[in-house]
Amino acid sequence: MASAQVINVTLPAVPQEWTAEKDFKALGSLSSTTQRNLEPVGPYFLAHARRKRHQRTFSEDERIQAQQTVKKTEEDDDGEISEAEDPIMLSRDAKDWKGQDHYAVLGLSKYRWRATPEQIKRAHRKKVLRHHPDKKAALGDRDENDNFFKCIQKATEQLLDPVKRRQFDSVDEAADVEPPSKKEVAKGDFFKLWVPVFESEARFSKKHPVPSLGNENSTKAEVDEFYNFWYNFDSWRTFEYLDEDVPDDNENRDQKRHIEKKNANARRKRKAEDTARLRKIIDDCMAQDQRIKKFRQEARAGKDKRRLEKEAEAKRLAEEKEKARLEEEQRKKEAEEAAKAERERNKKAKEAAKNAAKKNKRVLKASVKDVNYFAESGDASAQQVDSVLGDVELVISKIDSDELAALTERLNTAGKDAAGVKSVYVAEVKRLVEAGTVKEGEAKFFI
């Protein structure tokens, strides 16, 4: 235990003007003494107690503590990387390294493409501690076969190189998740069964983030975004890992070009097959997705609603058009009937006026006949009759029906008075002459 060290500290000097009588002021009083038990604590005391208990020196205790720390580290690694080693895998030929599962060799099967470089390094350290030839010899194992150790080294080399690891991940079928069948989806949870499939396929995507499958409450826009992304999926998968080895012999260049061309064709074929495989997965998922059916039903219902509304609107417009047509026809019919009635009335009025005109003309001719054509005695001569009737015909031809009726009324008033009848005609001829209808001297008798 370390010894106590005395440190000399010089107190500050008291000012010269300070005096205990006038400057000292007691702020409190000292309590009485109390006896207490003190217990040592802390990591250093615990280490001291451990050494005393086990009678260890400093170096012995540090060595044992280091061994326990290493053991605890290995146990922690076992908790994270605890896969049982397959006997077939242990007997694998190191030359066949391309056919081995690098993740399984390092005990990282459950992590695979998700394994971090730190996990790969820890797994490599654990495997080396267990399978290194020197370690096996120290444990008394005389087996000089170091193939599995070489497999460990090759797996570590492959997985710690980003380019080589991506080539292996491109063909790692053990990381694939098989899509569920229709029966499995019918009995189980659609989202729980399909989400792992797309999470596995998403490892090949060039674009991130990758849209999630969502849930039953996802909107149509979210579902459309998900399927559009996968139907236009941009994959970095290239399948170089499966290429046939190209010989390094420079003398056989034709053989080298042939193998390179063969590898390129094989990659394109595998790429096309993988694209078709992924497209079938998306088609199957979409066919089983009840949200798509729901959206289609909603769209169909909306389409039917719009169709019914359109048909109703078209029907309404047709009815309005038909109503307007019927009203127009009724209006035309009524107008035609009114015009026909008017024509009938006009026809009757014309016929009545014509008949009245004929009657009035007979009255005019009879008026001069009743007064014996104005002969003073005896029968009127033929010349006088012609002269009187000529003037009556002249008057009749120059007046309209109303004037004819008025003239007839005046003649009826005059009766058979020859002087009165003549004065009526004379006055009418004078009016016609003044109106310019009859020329001066055209009338021979009534002047």
Side-chain angles (χ1 to χ4, degrees):
M1 182 178 293
S3 60
Q5 184 178 1
V6 178
I7 301 174
N8 295 322
V9 178
T10 302
L11 296 176
V14 179
Q16 294 181 356
E17 63 273 9
W18 187 89
T19 60
E21 291 76 10
K22 68 182 184 66
D23 296 323
F24 176 76
K25 183 179 180 180
L27 299 177
S29 60
L30 296 175
S31 62
S32 60
T33 59
T34 303
Q35 185 175 358
R36 299 180 184 275
N37 295 326
L38 300 179
E39 296 182 358
V41 295
Y44 299 106
F45 172 75
L46 294 177
H48 169 73
R50 184 175 61 250
R51 290 192 297 270
K52 289 295 183 182
R53 179 182 177 185
H54 297 288
Q55 298 298 319
R56 299 174 186 168
T57 63
F58 274 94
S59 59
E60 289 177 339
D61 187 66
E62 289 177 356
R63 179 176 56 80
I64 293 173
Q65 288 298 109
Q67 291 176 349
Q68 291 178 352
T69 302
V70 171
K71 183 178 180 181
K72 185 176 183 301
T73 301
E74 291 180 351
E75 290 176 353
D76 292 341
D77 286 344
D78 286 340
E80 183 178 2
I81 307 168
S82 58
E83 296 179 9
E85 294 175 338
D86 187 357
I88 299 177
M89 181 176 62
L90 293 174
S91 62
R92 175 179 289 278
D93 188 354
K95 295 180 180 179
D96 188 24
W97 64 269
K98 263 201 171 183
Q100 74 180 18
D101 185 344
H102 300 307
Y103 291 110
V105 168
L106 295 179
L108 296 170
S109 297
K110 66 179 181 180
Y111 294 99
R112 310 203 75 82
W113 57 275
R114 297 186 182 87
T116 64
E118 290 73 18
Q119 289 175 322
I120 295 172
K121 292 176 182 178
R122 288 202 303 269
H124 172 256
R125 182 174 65 251
K126 174 188 173 183
K127 293 292 183 179
V128 167
L129 289 174
R130 184 178 300 174
H131 295 282
H132 195 282
D134 295 341
K135 181 71 173 180
K136 292 168 68 177
L139 295 175
D141 188 352
R142 299 302 179 184
D143 185 8
E144 296 181 358
N145 184 3
D146 61 349
N147 278 331
F148 188 64
F149 177 75
K150 293 179 180 178
C151 290
I152 294 171
Q153 295 299 93
K154 197 64 181 179
T156 305
E157 175 190 348
Q158 191 76 25
L159 297 181
L160 286 181
D161 187 320
V163 176
K164 293 180 179 180
R165 183 179 181 182
R166 172 165 281 205
Q167 291 176 355
F168 176 72
D169 288 340
S170 179
V171 298
D172 185 12
E173 295 181 356
D176 295 339
V177 178
E178 288 296 323
S181 63
K182 291 183 180 179
K183 293 183 179 180
E184 291 174 335
V185 173
K187 296 180 181 179
D189 186 341
F190 170 82
F191 300 99
K192 187 176 180 181
L193 292 171
W194 275 104
V195 164
V197 177
F198 287 102
E199 287 181 349
S200 173
E201 297 295 335
R203 71 187 191 271
F204 301 121
S205 178
K206 290 183 180 179
K207 298 179 181 178
H208 290 276
V210 178
S212 64
L213 181 59
N215 53 47
E216 63 275 5
N217 297 321
S218 298
T219 63
K220 186 176 184 302
E222 293 171 340
V223 176
D224 289 343
E225 179 188 5
F226 173 80
Y227 285 108
N228 288 336
F229 177 88
W230 283 101
Y231 274 118
N232 298 281
F233 188 70
D234 190 5
S235 174
W236 54 259
R237 203 171 186 182
T238 54
F239 304 96
E240 295 101 332
Y241 192 81
L242 300 178
D243 284 355
E244 182 180 343
D245 292 337
V246 180
D248 294 332
D249 187 2
N250 293 330
E251 295 181 359
N252 196 349
R253 296 182 179 179
D254 292 339
Q255 178 67 11
K256 183 177 180 180
R257 284 195 292 267
H258 172 71
I259 295 176
E260 289 177 347
K261 184 177 180 181
K262 183 179 178 181
N263 288 336
N265 292 334
R267 289 181 202 170
R268 284 193 293 269
K269 182 179 179 181
R270 293 188 183 102
K271 185 75 172 181
E273 292 174 351
D274 183 66
T275 301
R277 178 193 63 84
L278 181 59
R279 177 60 62 90
K280 185 178 185 305
I281 289 176
I282 303 170
D283 290 342
D284 292 343
C285 178
M286 193 172 185
Q288 298 169 14
D289 197 338
Q290 296 297 323
R291 299 172 302 178
I292 300 297
K293 296 179 181 178
K294 181 183 72 172
F295 294 147
R296 287 175 178 172
Q297 290 174 354
E298 292 175 353
R300 191 179 302 112
K303 185 176 180 181
D304 292 342
K305 182 180 179 181
R306 291 191 295 272
R307 178 178 58 80
L308 293 175
E309 291 177 351
K310 186 176 181 180
E311 290 177 354
E313 180 66 14
K315 183 179 179 181
R316 183 185 65 81
L317 293 176
E319 290 177 351
E320 291 181 354
K321 185 176 181 181
E322 181 65 16
K323 182 180 179 181
R325 186 185 67 80
L326 294 175
E327 290 178 351
E328 181 65 16
E329 289 182 354
Q330 182 66 21
R331 185 186 64 77
K332 289 182 179 180
K333 183 178 179 181
E334 292 177 353
E336 290 177 356
E337 292 178 351
K340 184 178 179 181
E342 183 66 20
R343 288 194 299 271
E344 291 292 334
R345 288 194 297 271
N346 292 337
K347 183 178 179 181
K348 291 179 179 179
K350 288 181 179 180
E351 290 180 353
K354 185 177 180 181
N355 293 332
K358 289 180 178 180
K359 182 179 180 181
N360 290 334
K361 289 178 181 180
R362 289 196 297 268
V363 171
L364 263 64
K365 293 177 179 180
S367 64
V368 294
K369 182 180 180 181
D370 290 341
V371 295
N372 195 22
Y373 302 103
F374 304 105
E376 295 180 358
S377 61
D379 295 333
S381 62
Q383 183 179 2
Q384 186 172 353
V385 171
D386 290 339
S387 177
V388 172
L389 290 177
D391 286 355
V392 171
E393 290 292 342
L394 176 63
V395 171
I396 292 173
S397 64
K398 299 298 182 179
I399 61 178
D400 56 22
S401 57
D402 293 335
E403 293 172 337
L404 179 61
L407 179 59
T408 301
E409 186 178 354
R410 292 199 298 273
L411 291 174
N412 288 332
T413 302
K416 295 182 179 181
D417 181 11
V421 171
K422 185 176 182 180
S423 63
V424 170
Y425 277 110
V426 170
E428 184 65 19
V429 170
K430 183 179 180 182
R431 184 186 70 79
L432 293 174
V433 170
E434 292 175 353
T437 305
V438 176
K439 296 180 181 180
E440 186 72 29
E442 190 174 0
K444 304 299 184 182
F445 186 78
F446 300 118
I447 54 176

